[in-house]
Amino acid sequence: MRVLDAGCGIGDVSMMLAERVGPAGSVIGVDVNPAVLEVARARAHEAGLTNLVFFQADLSELRLEDPVDALVGRLILMRLPEPVTTVRELSRQVRPGGIVSFQDYNLSRCRSEPPTPLLTRSTRWVIDAMRAGGANP
């Protein structure tokens, strides 16, 4: 399989995927942040993963030469200004019958039973900070 990891960060998911697809497969990790990509490249090199490449791109503008068999993303949707549009565009780069899978969470639904003041307060801080940074928690 050829897999695209959208918003790969330091490469955790990309590296797991590279191990799963094996030497006959390949993984493309994409992130907008060059600093995290340097970390990802170093980690992949240290792990001996030769079927994994990382490159910098804005996901909303990403265009691959060939389609992928799978598109994945973990904890990226909340960071995108237009997540639905971006996923729609990225999905066009997946071959017909391919896989599209994103894992994210909705912080606005975070709570405990019974309610605890500390969790309520700290969740509000995280939500406020994310919104201030332009993310959609």
Side-chain angles (χ1 to χ4, degrees), residues 54-132:
F54 294 100
F55 67 91
Q56 181 184 358
D58 182 321
L59 292 176
S60 65
E61 300 171 3
L62 180 66
R63 302 294 177 267
L64 299 174
E65 289 184 28
D66 298 309
V68 294
D69 299 300
L71 163 65
V72 302
R74 185 183 74 175
L75 304 178
I76 185 65
L77 300 177
M78 70 177 104
R79 297 173 184 359
L80 299 174
E82 297 290 333
V84 173
T85 302
T86 302
V87 171
R88 184 179 296 124
E89 289 300 316
L90 288 172
S91 295
R92 291 187 172 118
Q93 301 191 61
V94 179
R95 68 164 175 75
I99 298 166
V100 176
S101 178
F102 283 81
Q103 177 192 18
D104 238 291
Y105 53 83
N106 181 346
L107 278 176
S108 70
R109 301 289 182 225
C110 182
R111 59 188 41 79
S112 68
E113 285 298 328
T116 61
L118 179 58
L119 179 67
T120 302
R121 198 169 42 246
S122 60
T123 299
R124 174 59 37 212
W125 293 337
V126 171
I127 288 171
D128 291 346
M130 289 182 74
R131 285 194 175 127

Side-chain angles (χ1 to χ4, degrees), residues 7-12 30-43 54-56:
C8 65
I10 62 169
D12 291 331
V30 179
D31 203 283
V32 72
N33 185 329
V36 299
L37 289 172
E38 286 305 313
V39 173
R41 287 182 187 107
R43 293 178 70 217
F54 294 100
F55 67 91
Q56 181 184 358

